Amino acid sequence: MAYEKRLNEIYAAISLEYLWPEYRPFFVKSESPDWINETMDFGLEVSQALLPDDGQMESVIERYLGCRREELPQSVFERYGERLHFYNNRFWAILPDETKEQDYLYKAKYRFDRKLEKLNKNYRRCRKNGLYLFLHPKEKTSVDAEALFDYMKQRQASVENGFDWVFLNCTSVIYVCDFENDRVDEILLPQNAELFLASEAERLRQDYRWQENDAIHIIN
């Protein structure tokens, strides 16, 4: 998946709508958390396993999102090159750098801790609360989902409010950390499913402004 906040939020929502057995329609756009599902009394926050040092990349996206290719400065092309992602000749995202080794476990722990802190301070809490994390691994085997599950369970034991579900998107698989039932499930994403979800997310990102209270309910 790409480094663009709104696009990832939409991808997360539709991936759960299509693939997660627990899902009931439908998600409505919100802030803190990013989605509210009134039917399930469920709030979903979407994030990426990034560190503060990745902030420069996020600022580039925020500044030039939606700009035409020719409107981006040469310095952006020199820095990100083929990682720049365009849709209808407009800039939409920066793709992960697959040439670099990444400590996905460390990044996931860091981002989980920050989101858990916010859940206990300033998020709208629902009866059920979820976190959807994009980990961007090269291979699903590079992510130890059980180790992350144990870490998150331990961290949540020391706070008043915790997440009921944490979804770890590892490109070809989504690990569902179910804390209520104390287990980790897998949702496999074959390549055709990945391509469909990515194209559908881009279409929805383009077609709507996605202000608060806009709804995603795409399955008839």
Side-chain angles (χ1 to χ4, degrees), residues 3-217:
Y3 294 128
E4 199 272 287
K5 186 177 189 300
R6 190 70 78 229
L7 182 62
N8 284 346
E9 290 172 1
I10 296 168
Y11 184 102
I14 64 173
S15 70
L16 296 185
E17 180 162 357
Y18 274 112
L19 302 171
W20 185 38
E22 300 286 336
Y23 176 81
R24 301 293 180 271
F26 47 85
F27 282 120
V28 174
K29 190 70 190 78
S30 182
E31 291 297 334
S32 297
D34 297 306
W35 298 101
I36 295 291
N37 185 314
E38 298 286 358
T39 305
M40 300 178 66
D41 198 1
F42 172 46
L44 180 69
E45 178 70 5
V46 181
S47 188
Q48 300 186 68
L50 301 176
L51 301 176
D53 292 344
D54 298 315
Q56 185 175 6
M57 179 176 57
E58 292 185 297
S59 68
V60 169
I61 294 171
E62 183 177 349
R63 181 172 183 179
Y64 297 109
L65 183 67
C67 291
R68 295 188 178 277
R69 184 185 295 266
E70 57 270 20
E71 295 174 330
L72 270 65
Q74 184 60 30
S75 59
V76 172
F77 286 96
E78 291 173 356
R79 183 174 180 85
Y80 298 107
E82 294 183 357
R83 294 174 61 197
L84 298 173
H85 177 68
F86 294 87
Y87 185 86
N88 287 343
N89 203 40
R90 292 186 179 273
F91 172 57
W92 284 112
I94 297 176
L95 302 175
D97 187 351
E98 297 184 354
T99 66
K100 293 183 178 180
E101 291 296 327
Q102 302 286 342
D103 188 344
Y104 300 107
L105 196 64
Y106 178 76
K107 287 189 174 186
K109 289 177 179 179
Y110 174 85
R111 187 53 57 187
F112 173 80
D113 286 345
R114 301 290 78 74
K115 293 300 182 180
L116 182 62
E117 180 181 0
K118 289 185 176 180
L119 177 67
N120 282 272
K121 286 187 176 180
N122 59 1
Y123 277 8
R124 170 184 167 182
R125 287 188 296 275
C126 299
R127 187 176 63 86
K128 298 288 186 179
N129 300 282
L131 174 64
Y132 193 112
L133 279 179
F134 290 92
L135 270 61
H136 304 292
K138 290 182 181 180
E139 300 175 356
K140 80 168 190 175
T141 53
S142 64
V143 175
D144 190 339
E146 291 290 345
L148 272 174
F149 179 71
D150 290 340
Y151 173 84
M152 293 185 291
K153 186 164 58 173
Q154 181 181 10
R155 295 288 295 139
Q156 295 199 144
S158 62
V159 296
E160 181 179 357
N161 300 290
F163 292 106
D164 299 279
W165 294 291
V166 174
F167 306 90
L168 304 174
N169 185 302
C170 300
T171 308
S172 60
V173 62
I174 300 172
Y175 292 105
V176 182
C177 298
D178 183 342
F179 294 98
E180 185 176 61
N181 294 300
D182 195 29
R183 71 188 190 201
V184 179
D185 298 321
E186 289 188 16
I187 299 174
L188 296 179
L189 283 173
Q191 188 175 15
N192 61 340
E194 291 179 52
L195 293 173
F196 170 76
L197 291 171
S199 62
E200 186 69 1
E202 287 190 349
R203 181 187 69 79
L204 291 167
R205 176 69 177 88
Q206 279 272 80
D207 288 351
Y208 302 96
R209 295 179 64 187
W210 294 109
Q211 297 176 325
E212 193 162 351
N213 296 321
D214 284 348
I216 279 189
H217 183 38

